[in-house]
Amino acid sequence: MQGTSPVIKAVAAWLLALMLTIAAAVVVIYFVNAKTYGPGQHVETYLQKLADGEGEQALGMLNAQVPDANAALLDGEALRASVKGLQVREIGDAEDIGGDRVEVALDYAYGETEGTTRFVLENAGKRWLFFDTWEFVPAALPTVQVSAPALREATLNGVRVTLPEGANTFAAFPVSRVAASYKSQYLAAPEQETLVTAEADPQLALVPEATKELVSKIDAGIREFLDGCTAADRLAPPGCPFYHSTNNRVEQPVRWSITDYPEVELTQAEGNWVLSPLSGTAQVTATQVDLFTGDKSPLVAEEPFTFNASLRVDGETVTLSPQVQ
């Protein structure tokens, strides 16, 4: 048997090198296709757009339908705040669901809250002949409804928003955290938060509470009203909740004082602030004359009283209207 010629050896070596090169290229293409152009990378890029506050680009990636809702959460600071603190635990492998579509599970955490949401993507063809391109399957953006019957505005992810008639609906990106609160001089609503995913349209209900400043303002208004009543030199000051009745003649001066001022208790009813009935005690002092004997004696009497008052809080304006029957 004659030895293999150098030419054949060279061709064989060249073919082996070519096959190895092709195999390596296939591996590289497969790796790059999976890691750089795969559906999981598309989800990761989308999340980065949210973190950068680039709502327009994120919306373009999602191919999402924007619902008829307020767009305050879809861009800028409010959007960046919506994913601040998001921890991506894992972006799962794509699961084939048929029709050139795959499903990618995102395991995430916000603080102690953990969850999983799923994105559906479809193959949109090849790029440069070898690399797959993926697009999110179009769907409507989820929404979150914020309600606060006693308020007309709130803070949403650090941005001031309006609440016409005490409520509003906001479009949001999945996955995002929405935190709502309210704070003014007289009213405050503790922060409420929710996670918005593609699977649900959550609701946030703000419950405003009276601040110490509001209670003090109302207390001062009630005291001013009652102190005005004590200035009247009469047994029955007009428009006031207390009076003294006697069969004797009373000489002036008649002096009133409040010995027990009402305590302010606020409740809410149908979005309006309601003052509980106000009760206290007034004292009258004067000199009385017995109509039969003409004898004079000191008049000192305690008179319990009650009355109601309507309250209106409009921004920084507090209107208190005593109602005396």
Side-chain angles (χ1 to χ4, degrees):
M1 183 179 220
Q2 296 181 348
T4 304
S5 70
V7 174
I8 294 177
K9 289 182 178 180
V11 171
W14 180 83
L15 288 175
L16 178 60
L18 179 60
M19 292 175 64
L20 291 175
T21 300
I22 293 174
V26 170
V27 171
V28 169
I29 290 173
Y30 175 82
F31 179 82
V32 172
N33 196 37
K35 298 300 180 181
T36 305
Y37 297 99
Q41 180 61 39
H42 205 59
V43 172
E44 186 174 343
T45 301
Y46 160 73
L47 294 176
Q48 188 59 52
K49 296 299 181 184
L50 300 186
D52 294 338
E54 297 177 353
E56 184 175 353
Q57 294 187 35
L59 193 62
M61 287 188 66
L62 279 182
N63 297 315
Q65 304 166 16
V66 180
D68 184 15
N70 190 294
L73 293 171
L74 299 184
D75 202 17
E77 290 300 323
L79 176 57
R80 278 189 284 270
S82 71
V83 291
K84 185 177 181 180
L86 170 65
Q87 300 176 15
V88 177
R89 295 291 180 83
E90 182 183 12
I91 297 177
D93 294 332
E95 298 181 10
D96 190 350
I97 58 174
D100 288 332
R101 292 184 175 184
V102 297
E103 189 175 72
V104 176
L106 169 67
D107 293 335
Y108 62 89
Y110 276 100
E112 297 182 355
T113 302
E114 300 180 353
T116 301
T117 191
R118 299 178 182 278
F119 295 94
V120 178
L121 300 93
E122 60 185 354
N123 193 298
K126 297 289 186 179
R127 176 182 298 177
W128 301 321
L129 301 178
F130 300 108
F131 303 114
D132 292 324
T133 58
W134 295 91
E135 293 181 352
F136 289 99
V137 174
L141 285 181
T143 61
V144 55
Q145 185 181 58
V146 180
S147 62
L151 303 176
R152 293 297 176 267
E153 62 179 32
T155 298
L156 216 57
N157 285 4
V159 175
R160 210 72 165 175
V161 297
T162 59
L163 301 178
E165 299 183 2
N168 208 346
T169 301
F170 300 86
F173 285 107
V175 176
S176 61
R177 169 183 169 274
V178 179
S181 63
Y182 179 81
K183 175 66 176 177
S184 70
Q185 182 179 2
Y186 297 129
L187 300 177
E191 184 176 87
Q192 304 291 326
E193 66 176 52
T194 186
L195 295 180
V196 181
T197 66
E199 291 83 11
D201 293 323
Q203 298 182 355
L204 284 177
L206 294 180
V207 182
E209 302 171 352
T211 63
K212 292 181 179 179
E213 289 84 353
L214 178 58
V215 175
S216 296
K217 181 82 170 178
I218 297 170
D219 183 70
I222 292 171
R223 288 172 177 263
E224 182 181 3
F225 165 67
L226 294 174
D227 290 345
C229 288
T230 64
D233 189 8
R234 301 173 63 173
L235 287 179
C240 296
F242 50 79
Y243 64 93
H244 178 72
S245 178
T246 178
N247 292 325
N248 296 327
R249 180 167 60 84
V250 176
E251 294 182 344
Q252 292 180 323
V254 176
R255 292 188 174 90
W256 285 96
S257 62
I258 305 299
T259 58
D260 184 19
Y261 284 94
E263 292 187 5
V264 175
E265 294 184 6
L266 284 172
T267 57
Q268 284 194 36
E270 298 180 353
N272 297 315
W273 288 104
V274 178
L275 268 172
S276 298
L278 301 159
S279 60
T281 306
Q283 183 184 75
V284 60
T285 60
T287 299
Q288 58 185 348
V289 180
D290 190 296
L291 295 178
F292 295 99
T293 66
D295 293 338
K296 293 185 178 182
S297 61
L299 168 62
V300 180
E302 297 280 333
E303 296 291 350
F305 62 85
T306 61
F307 69 102
N308 294 316
S310 62
L311 176 66
R312 179 180 177 82
V313 181
D314 187 7
E316 304 302 320
T317 302
V318 178
T319 304
L320 180 69
S321 303
Q323 299 169 345
V324 178
Q325 296 181 349

